[in-house]
Amino acid sequence: MTLTLVPPPVPSRAAAGPLDVLGVPGQINLDYAATAPCARAAADAVAELLPWYASVHRGAGALSRRCTLAYERARQTVGDFVGARADDHVVFTRNTTDALNLLARALPPGATVVTFGGEHHANLLPWPRGSVRLPVPEDPAGAVRALDAALGELRRGTTPDRDLPVLVAVTGASNVTGERWPVAELARVARRHWARIAVDAAQLAPHAPVDLHVLDVDYLAVSGHKLYAPFGAGVLVGRADWLDAAPPYLAGGGATSHVGAATHDVRWATGPARHEAGTPNLLGAVALAAVCGALSGADRAALHDAEQALLARLRDGIAALPHVVELRTFGPDAPRVGIASFVVAGRDSAEVAAHLAAHHDIGVRDGLFCAHPLARRLLTEAAGRSGRRDLPPTALRASIGLGSTEEHVDALLAALATLG
Ligand SMILES: Cc1ncc(COP(=O)(O)O)c(C=O)c1O
């Protein structure tokens, strides 16, 4: 494949909206679930701050003070965007993986983590030994029932130990199927059993409002690069007590309130600083906050409706192709965000992805999507449901969002049709 790199068109200031996304003419990006394109709001915020770019929390100069202010304002904006409570911490991280690893390191001693086998590796692998992985349920109600039973079992005993820390860790929306998980119901079950709940909102937050307070969840993790802010920041938001009691995620400058001459004479800071040692990713934080601010000011119901219409077009189109089989965990009508995974019968998925790129300028993802247990299970289920014996061992994924159009979806469907 020969790639000719041409600069994206620069819309006039008057025409550009904060939620317009940048891109390259002729290239059809249907891989938002991996990394979404850059929103104008993020690009503008970074461009505006760049002349001022200087140290954060480390200087008295005007540039440095402005950068420190921008960083702390970004923290506030991102916290507000996800409904952080007044006493929650908003800790900037590199991405969702980093945020969940931070939470895993902040678990109190003896904590048990309960999760489902349908999670992305970022929400399967950081948890300590002894964690409970529940089977992938058949439907959202099954997830609620299974969690209730598992937590009941954990708390059973002659003297149920309510103080034993338990954390439920679930995804808001699957990166494989886009299906939404019943987060509010799972949170209610967790509460009933004195457990905390963390939501991996990497895929949900770009598509729908997510509010810690409304959902009554304890922790939430997101990635800026999936939220139209490609500057390497993510965030862990949630309850302060475990975070303030935990060893610092990174030890170093900025995470301490006192360091003495003796080797271990150190007092660690409390608050987000405890886990953010080293010079922070100012531009990442500011870019993420800019998108959060733009989304907060947008008509999210309208954005949601537009995305759902495109998703329906995509899924209906896939269903109409006899040689293409969609992957799904729940029923076909379960609520989902703009993601669809599928296989082309008789075709290797990596080859199909390469063909789409080389001959149609379409970018999709192929593989098992860093959710190997789930993807393998769904491939087996798809083979059973379709009755086809020629399905490949990996899948393809198309994902959409801001800036996606009917033409993009139709181009993919037309290309897939030629592979029958
Ligand atoms: C549901 C989900 N969780 C976590 C992650 C990890 O995100 P990141 O690579 O930004 O850390 C992803 C990435 O695809 C994801 O889809």
Side-chain angles (χ1 to χ4, degrees), residues 199-293:
V199 175
D200 169 355
Q203 297 297 348
L204 184 56
H207 301 279
V210 185
D211 190 298
L212 277 156
H213 184 62
V214 171
L215 293 169
D216 192 20
V217 304
D218 299 283
Y219 303 95
L220 199 124
V222 297
S223 291
H225 74 100
K226 295 187 195 291
L227 203 42
Y228 308 100
F231 293 91
V235 79
L236 175 71
V237 184
R239 305 278 181 207
D241 53 354
W242 288 2
L243 291 167
D244 281 342
Y249 184 50
L250 292 171
T256 57
S257 55
H258 162 86
V259 180
T263 319
H264 298 297
D265 180 10
V266 54
R267 262 198 312 277
W268 299 107
T270 53
R274 186 182 188 86
H275 300 291
E276 288 183 1
T279 298
N281 177 1
L282 168 66
L283 297 179
V286 166
L288 175 53
V291 178
C292 291

Side-chain angles (χ1 to χ4, degrees), residues 361-387:
D361 291 329
I362 297 173
V364 296
R365 172 89 187 264
D366 70 278
L368 297 174
F369 316 124
C370 296
H372 292 184
L374 177 66
R376 287 209 185 92
R377 175 193 156 100
L378 299 189
L379 283 161
T380 305
E381 191 279 335
R385 173 164 36 93
S386 65

Side-chain angles (χ1 to χ4, degrees), residues 33-34 95-98 100 120 122 171 173 175 200 202-203 223 225-226:
N95 47 40
T96 302
T97 305
D98 203 27
L100 293 171
H120 187 280
T171 192
N175 68 306
D200 169 355
Q203 297 297 348
S223 291
H225 74 100
K226 295 187 195 291

Side-chain angles (χ1 to χ4, degrees), residues 395-407:
L396 293 148
R397 180 181 71 189
S399 48
I400 56 173
L402 298 174
S404 300
T405 64
E406 290 185 355
E407 289 70 31

